[in-house]
Amino acid sequence: MEAIRMKSLIFSALVAMGLVAGSSVQAQEPQFFRIGTGGTAGTYYPIGGLIANAISNPPGSRPCEDGGSCGVPGLIATALSANGSVANVNAIAGGTLESGFSQSDVATWAQTGTGIWQDREAVTKLRAIANLYPETIHLVASAESGIKSVADLAGKRVSLDEPGSGTLVDARIILEAYGLSEDDVEAAFLKPDQAAERMRDGAMDAFFFVGGFPAGAIAELASQEDITLVPISGSEAEGVIGKYTFFAENTVPGGTYEGVDEDTTTLSVGAQWITSADQPDDLIYNVTAALWNDNTRKLLDAGHQKGKQITLETALDGVGIPLHPGAARFYEEKGMDVSGMTAE
């Protein structure tokens, strides 16, 4: 309902602009393109906003060469707060989102009907636009909890993130690697900002969060309370990487969060922008081209710390689902190897 209301407001504004600017606006129908992200306290949402702004070029906008938008002509993209990877995949499959962000593991499982999707119908039409940046697995604990390792979570109050999120999936995998399950902790299923609020109130010992650093909810918490970033390392982490190839070792540099002065070794997955094979080839080609133009580069570099890690050189890294034909055409034209990355 909120998205429909937003469309109505934007369209009304465009009609008003047309009355002033003559027939130029009326000559081009606006096309709406939604990007499902995550909670407002995470990284998906601000990155989604930057990308939506970059690829948009509403009817009547000044041309790019005249200092206007350098997005797709006629396109109005919006970043919508959502419940994360699993929810975005489901919304794309159901046609209520044109695109969305997903962890690489969740996208691969959904498209192939494996992993957490083995008992569900595979989303065979799921397609990739680009790999964006590494998503770091944060395990945040209150300093007073005494939690120093994943094994220390036994018997503690731990939020695994909300149902439908990729974070919940990864938290379960990590617990299992250390010989634990949800039954061994006092599990809660909250958004990161809600979990952080509980921790401030002394009602939560630890919580999982998967996303680019610095994450807003964690940064705010660290500025108010003493926290610990718990390492996910050693033979258990190596076992996770060996079993699930979309995981990689990752490091949160010391000083990223107030009071956490040492580097923290952990794991990461790729944040990927996905869509449906049903989206028109020309549209996705133009969206992909807009993502990688010079103007977008400036917006990403200036807009968020993770934006600097979104590069054309890593656009195909860790992509385990077929590329959308429109995106594949763009990368081919750039001389990139997409062999084996398209649907049969």
Side-chain angles (χ1 to χ4, degrees), residues 24 30 45-46 58 81 87 117 120 127 134 175-176 194 196 205 207 239 252 263 279 286 309 313 320 327 329 342:
S24 59
Y45 186 72
S81 177
W117 240 269
R120 312 190 215 181
R127 297 291 183 267
L175 288 175
E176 181 182 15
Q194 295 171 327
D205 297 312
F207 64 91
V252 181
D263 290 355
Q279 291 297 313
N286 288 330
Q309 297 186 34
E313 291 73 25
R329 174 157 59 98
T342 55

Side-chain angles (χ1 to χ4, degrees), residues 87-118:
N88 289 338
V89 169
N90 286 331
I92 291 169
T96 57
L97 281 177
E98 287 74 40
S99 72
F101 294 164
S102 172
Q103 295 171 197
S104 55
D105 50 356
V106 174
T108 300
W109 283 331
Q111 200 273 331
T112 58
T114 58
I116 63 166
W117 240 269
Q118 62 184 356

Side-chain angles (χ1 to χ4, degrees), residues 158-163 165 168 172 182 185-192 194-195 198 204:
V158 184
S159 176
L160 309 179
D161 214 306
E162 60 188 337
S165 70
L168 175 56
R172 287 170 170 160
E182 290 175 35
V185 303
E186 191 176 324
F189 304 92
L190 305 171
K191 291 177 181 288
Q194 295 171 327
R198 290 270 188 96
M204 187 66 63

Side-chain angles (χ1 to χ4, degrees), residues 11 14 24-32 59 73-76:
F11 185 75
L14 291 172
S24 59
V25 173
Q26 298 172 347
Q28 186 180 53
E29 286 292 323
Q31 183 169 10
F32 296 95
L75 192 71
I76 300 172

Side-chain angles (χ1 to χ4, degrees), residues 111-173:
Q111 200 273 331
T112 58
T114 58
I116 63 166
W117 240 269
Q118 62 184 356
D119 296 325
R120 312 190 215 181
E121 183 178 354
V123 188
T124 56
K125 289 189 176 182
L126 206 61
R127 297 291 183 267
I129 297 174
N131 179 64
L132 299 176
Y133 59 86
E135 293 197 85
T136 302
I137 300 178
H138 296 70
L139 176 51
V140 184
S142 66
E144 65 181 23
S145 70
I147 296 170
K148 302 296 183 183
S149 70
V150 177
D152 291 340
L153 295 177
K156 300 293 187 179
R157 300 163 297 180
V158 184
S159 176
L160 309 179
D161 214 306
E162 60 188 337
S165 70
T167 300
L168 175 56
V169 178
D170 291 335
R172 287 170 170 160
I173 289 173

Side-chain angles (χ1 to χ4, degrees), residues 34-287:
R34 294 163 292 190
I35 305 172
T37 64
T40 55
T43 307
Y44 276 5
Y45 186 72
I47 291 293
L50 288 172
I51 291 176
N53 184 44
I55 68 172
S56 294
N57 187 349
S61 297
R62 281 188 300 166
C64 176
E65 58 271 19
D66 294 335
S69 170
C70 298
V72 181
L75 192 71
I76 300 172
T78 54
L80 304 180
S81 177
N83 286 346
S85 300
V86 174
N88 289 338
V89 169
N90 286 331
I92 291 169
T96 57
L97 281 177
E98 287 74 40
S99 72
F101 294 164
S102 172
Q103 295 171 197
S104 55
D105 50 356
V106 174
T108 300
W109 283 331
Q111 200 273 331
T112 58
T114 58
I116 63 166
W117 240 269
Q118 62 184 356
D119 296 325
R120 312 190 215 181
E121 183 178 354
V123 188
T124 56
K125 289 189 176 182
L126 206 61
R127 297 291 183 267
I129 297 174
N131 179 64
L132 299 176
Y133 59 86
E135 293 197 85
T136 302
I137 300 178
H138 296 70
L139 176 51
V140 184
S142 66
E144 65 181 23
S145 70
I147 296 170
K148 302 296 183 183
S149 70
V150 177
D152 291 340
L153 295 177
K156 300 293 187 179
R157 300 163 297 180
V158 184
S159 176
L160 309 179
D161 214 306
E162 60 188 337
S165 70
T167 300
L168 175 56
V169 178
D170 291 335
R172 287 170 170 160
I173 289 173
I174 291 165
L175 288 175
E176 181 182 15
Y178 285 81
L180 300 175
S181 72
E182 290 175 35
D183 295 334
D184 297 310
V185 303
E186 191 176 324
F189 304 92
L190 305 171
K191 291 177 181 288
D193 52 344
Q194 295 171 327
E197 186 175 341
R198 290 270 188 96
M199 190 174 286
R200 277 192 292 269
D201 294 338
M204 187 66 63
D205 297 312
F207 64 91
F208 284 88
F209 169 75
V210 180
F213 57 77
I218 301 173
E220 182 180 355
L221 175 64
S223 70
Q224 301 168 348
E225 303 287 336
D226 291 335
I227 68 165
T228 299
L229 279 188
V230 180
I232 303 172
S233 57
S235 59
E236 295 89 353
E238 291 172 3
V240 170
I241 293 171
K243 185 175 181 180
Y244 304 99
T245 56
F246 35 72
F247 283 106
E249 185 177 300
N250 194 240
T251 300
V252 181
T256 300
Y257 299 107
E258 188 174 332
V260 183
D261 298 327
E262 303 296 325
D263 290 355
T264 303
T265 302
T266 183
L267 300 174
S268 68
V269 293
Q272 298 182 348
W273 190 9
I274 58 175
T275 186
S276 170
D278 292 335
Q279 291 297 313
D281 290 2
D282 286 347
L283 171 62
I284 301 302
Y285 172 86
N286 288 330
V287 163

